[in-house]
Amino acid sequence: MYKVIGLLVLQLVCLSTFANPVITGTVKNQDGNLLIGANVLIDGSYYGTATNADGVFRLHVSYGNYVLRVSHMGYETRFIDVDVSGDKDLEIILPRLAYLAEEVIVSATRAHSRVPVAFTDVSRAEIEERDFGQDIPFILNLTPSFVASSDAGAGIGYTSFRIRGSDMNRINITVNGIPLNDPESHGVWWVNMPDLASSVDNVQIQRGVGTSSHGAGAFGASINLQTKTVAPDPYGEIVASAGSFNSLRNTVRLGSGMINERFTFDARLSRITSDGYIDRASSDLKSFFLSGAMHSENSLLKVNVFSGKEITYQAWDGVPSYMLDIDRRYNGIGSYTNEEGETVYYDNETDNYQQDHFQLFYSREISPSLNLNTALHYTKGYGYYEQYRENQRFGNYGLDNLVLAGQTISRSDLIRRKILDNHFFGMTWSLRYGSRNYDLTFGGAANRYLGDHYGHIIWAEYANNIPKNFEWYFNRGDKYDFNVFGKIEYRLTDNLNLYGDLQYRTINYTIDGIDDDLRDISRDHEYHFFNPKAGIFYEIDSRQNLYLSYSVAHREPNRSNFKDARPGEIPGPERLDNIETGYNFGSRNINLNANMFYMKYKDQLVLTGQINDVGAPVMTNVPDSYRAGLELLAGLRVSSILELGFNFSVSQNIISDFTEYIDNWDYWEDPDNEPLQILRHIGRTELSFSPPVIAGGDVTLNPTENFSINLSGKYVGRQFIDNTASRERMLNPYFFSDLRFSYKIETSRFGEFGINLMVGNIFNEKFETNAWIYRYIYQGKERYIDGFFPQAGRHFFSGVSIKF
C-alpha cells in the first residue's frame, strides 16, 4: 500500500512540472496593505492556495474561464472572473467588513490549510444535506476513520461515535472554543442538545492530538463546532420532517439580520420525537437556541443561550446475542414480574435530563496585527434516570429489615432515581499577534466543575421503614482545570512553515461521599501536564504540499476510573505521543490527501476483566499500546453534474502485552482456597472496537441546479468487543448505503421551498455497531452475558423546508 501511495505522489509531482498557464496575484486591503494568508480558491473546484508573506499567490491552471473566490478573516469575500488564455497577473483589493468577523471566536482552536495536522472541515451546506433530525454523530458519519452508533438504532436518542477507535471520552469536543466534554466523565451526550445541528454553521474534525487547547485531552481526535454566524439579512425558516418509527421533527429558525449595522439576533425552537427502532427506545426531545450580538468594526460582543431537555426510554443494555436472530428489536430494560406472574414493563424506565448553556464572548481588534478573544461560560445540568428494581435487599440501601406481624422482611420491589445536579463554569482567552513572517497566539482557560450525585427511593412495595424520597447515597465531585498555552506559526520561506505549541495544564479533582454501593469513594487527585507540539509544512507548489508533526498529550482518569478502582490502587494518567505525516494534492477536479499516523500510548486505561472489592469492573493501565495507520481521502469532479468522494482508513491497533481476568463464580462464596478470578496471559493483542479498515464514499448527481441525488456508503471492518482478539467476541464487518434526494424551488412568495427524502440502509443490511460482554466461570464452564446494538434496517425520512 505504501509503495502505491509513493508512486501516486511521484506521478502527481511529475505532472505538476509540465508547463501550464499560471495565475499570479497580489491581495491587498483598501489602504494598500498586503494581506498575508488570504485564501484564493477556484470556485467550484478543490484547488486553492494562500497568499505568502508578500501577499502574493500563484495558481497553476489550464486554459479556460475561472472564478476566483478570495477571502480573508475580517474582509469581504470577492469573486473574480478570470479568462486564462496565458499567464495572468492580478491585483485584488478586499474591502474591510463593517464588523469584526465571528471566525475570531474559534481562531485559537482551529487549524488552517498550512497547519501540519490531519483535519476535515464540514460546511453548513453539508450539514443541511444530511440533517433529518438525527444527532451530530450521524451527520458526521462519512468523515474519515469515523464510526457512529445509536442505542435506539435510528440516530435519535442516545448516540455515540469513535474516531480511530477512540470513543468520545478520549475526543476533545468544543462549541465555539468552549469545552463540551463533561469534566468528570469526559463524555459528551448529544441527546442533551437535540437538534444542535440546526444551529451549527460549520464543524472541524482534527484527527490525532491536533491543535486542541481547552478541555479534555485529545487522545483520538478533537472536534470544534461553531454555531450560527452573522447573517446580514433578515431570514426565517421552517423545517418539518417525518420518518420511520413515528419519528417527527419540527424546527423554526429566525434571524433579524444586521440592525443599524450593529446588532443581530437569531433564534431557534425545535422538537423531535421518535419511537426508535429498538422496542420502547422512545425519545421526546425539546431544545432552543438564542443568540444576540453587538458588532463594530473593531469589536464583537456576543451572547449565546441554548438548552435541551430529553426524556428517553432506556435502551442501554442492548440485545443479547442469542436474541439477534429471534428479535433484533428486543429491549429487556424495565421488565418485572407482576402479581399474576406475567412479565411486564415499567412505563417510566426513562432517562430525564435538562442541560442549559450560557456563553458570553468579547473579541477586539486592538490593532491590525493584534486581536484579543475572551469568553465566559456556564453550563447547568440536572436530571435523573428512573428504574424499577425487583427483590432488592434493604441492607444494600442502608436500611434496616422490616418486621411485619412477627415476620422479618429483608427484600422489596422498589423504584429508585439516580440523580445528577451539576454546574460547569469558567473562562477562556487568547491573544493573537500577526506579522509578516509569523503569528503568535497566547491563551489559556480556567474552569471549575461541581457535580452532586445522589439517589432517591421514591416507592417500595414494603415502605413502612422508608422515609419519602429516601436518599441512600450522596457524593460530590469538585474539579478545577487550568491551562496556559503559546502557539507560533513561522513562515521560514514562501514555501516552508514551522509550527510550535506549548501547553501547561493542571487539574485538581476531589470526590467526597459514598457511592450507590455504599462505599466511601472520597479522594483527592492532582495532575500537572506539559503538552508540546511541533510541525513543519512544505508547499511543493500551489497544487501540492507535505506536512509532518509530533505532539504529546496527557489525559487524567475519569470519575468511573477513580470510583471503581480497587482500594489502594489508583489508576494513573495516560500519555500519548502522536506523529502525523501527510501529502495533499488539489486541482480543479481532483483532490487527494494521504495521511499516515502513529499514536504511541503509555499507561493507556483499558478493560482487562479485573474487578474491585464489590465485583465492579475496573480499568487498568497497560504500559505499552499503539495505533498506526494510513488515511486516504479523494474527491473527483467528473463533470459539472457528477461528483465522487471517497475515504479509506487502514490501521493496526495493538496492546503489546495483555493479561485478561475472568470471574470464577464457583468460588465466589468461598474464596479461601481458590481465586475469585482466573488469569490468562494473552500477550500481544488488538485493542477493542478498533476496526482495521474503515471506508466511506458518496456519489452526488446534480441533473439540474435545483435537484440533487446522493448515494453514500460506509464500510466498517470487524471489531473485537474485548481486548482478547477472540473471533467469538466480535462485531462482524458491515456495509450499508443511504440514498438522498433534494429538490429546491425558488418562489416569489415564500423564498426557497425544499423537499428532502432519505432512504436509510437502502439494502436492508443487518448489522450491529456496538456491544458489551461479561464473562465468568460457573460449574466449571465459561459463560457470558452480553448486549449488542443493532441498527435499523431500511427506513425513511422525508422533510420540507421553507426559507423566507
Side-chain angles (χ1 to χ4, degrees), residues 30 36 39 49 71 97 231 238 284 379-380 388 410 412 424 551 616 700:
Q30 66 265 39
I36 301 167
N39 294 308
T49 187
S71 62
L97 288 170
I238 299 172
D284 187 353
T379 302
K380 161 67 176 173
Y388 189 104
S410 62
S412 174
F424 178 47
S551 306
T700 303

Side-chain angles (χ1 to χ4, degrees), residues 555-577:
R555 176 181 179 270
E556 74 277 15
N558 65 22
R559 169 185 163 84
S560 295
N561 301 148
F562 287 132
K563 76 181 186 66
D564 294 333
R566 292 179 170 187
E569 297 182 14
I570 298 175
E574 305 167 271
R575 173 184 168 119
L576 168 61
D577 290 73

Side-chain angles (χ1 to χ4, degrees), residues 425-659:
F425 52 91
M427 73 170 294
T428 66
W429 64 273
S430 65
L431 189 67
R432 180 179 178 271
Y433 176 77
S435 74
R436 186 174 186 274
N437 292 317
Y438 60 86
D439 291 321
L440 290 172
T441 303
F442 297 96
N447 300 304
R448 188 180 182 187
Y449 173 89
L450 296 170
D452 292 340
H453 306 256
Y454 54 99
H456 285 171
I457 298 175
I458 64 171
W459 173 87
E461 183 181 11
Y462 301 103
N464 287 3
N465 63 334
I466 304 177
K468 183 179 180 180
N469 290 329
F470 172 73
E471 184 176 283
W472 89 88
Y473 75 94
F474 179 94
N475 62 79
R476 166 171 286 188
D478 189 350
K479 186 172 185 177
Y480 294 88
D481 189 333
F482 173 80
N483 79 78
V484 290
F485 66 87
K487 300 181 182 183
I488 183 170
E489 298 174 41
Y490 186 76
R491 290 175 283 276
L492 193 62
T493 69
D494 284 350
N495 300 90
L496 186 62
N497 275 36
L498 303 180
Y499 175 81
D501 182 352
L502 302 177
Q503 184 206 45
Y504 168 75
R505 182 174 178 230
T506 181
I507 300 127
N508 189 293
Y509 180 38
T510 300
I511 306 176
D512 185 25
I514 62 170
D515 201 20
D516 58 356
D517 54 12
L518 305 184
R519 288 183 306 128
D520 188 344
I521 57 173
S522 301
R523 58 187 69 202
D524 295 306
H525 308 278
E526 185 173 341
Y527 299 97
H528 300 273
F529 297 140
F530 176 61
N531 299 315
K533 305 168 189 174
I536 185 170
F537 175 94
Y538 179 68
E539 186 175 72
I540 301 170
D541 57 34
S542 62
R543 298 186 181 190
Q544 314 171 77
N545 58 69
L546 301 165
Y547 62 86
L548 172 68
S549 67
Y550 169 72
S551 306
V552 175
H554 293 83
R555 176 181 179 270
E556 74 277 15
N558 65 22
R559 169 185 163 84
S560 295
N561 301 148
F562 287 132
K563 76 181 186 66
D564 294 333
R566 292 179 170 187
E569 297 182 14
I570 298 175
E574 305 167 271
R575 173 184 168 119
L576 168 61
D577 290 73
N578 179 207
I579 297 174
E580 305 274 337
T581 183
Y583 168 81
N584 294 304
F585 174 85
S587 70
R588 186 173 189 179
N589 296 314
I590 298 174
N591 179 61
L592 173 68
N593 169 255
N595 182 75
M596 290 185 289
F597 62 90
Y598 179 70
M599 305 171 73
K600 174 70 172 176
Y601 297 94
K602 179 182 179 182
D603 295 329
Q604 184 176 186
L605 284 163
V606 302
L607 286 170
T608 64
Q610 281 188 284
I611 57 173
N612 61 19
D613 54 329
V614 295
V618 302
M619 297 191 80
T620 305
N621 294 106
V622 295
D624 295 304
S625 55
Y626 70 86
R627 302 182 188 275
L630 170 68
E631 296 165 331
L632 293 177
L633 293 79
L636 175 64
R637 296 182 189 274
V638 180
S639 69
S640 60
I641 66 170
L642 180 62
E643 184 174 348
L644 309 177
F646 176 74
N647 63 75
F648 174 81
S649 305
V650 58
S651 63
Q652 275 193 333
N653 308 275
I654 300 297
I655 300 175
S656 300
D657 190 18
F658 182 76
T659 298

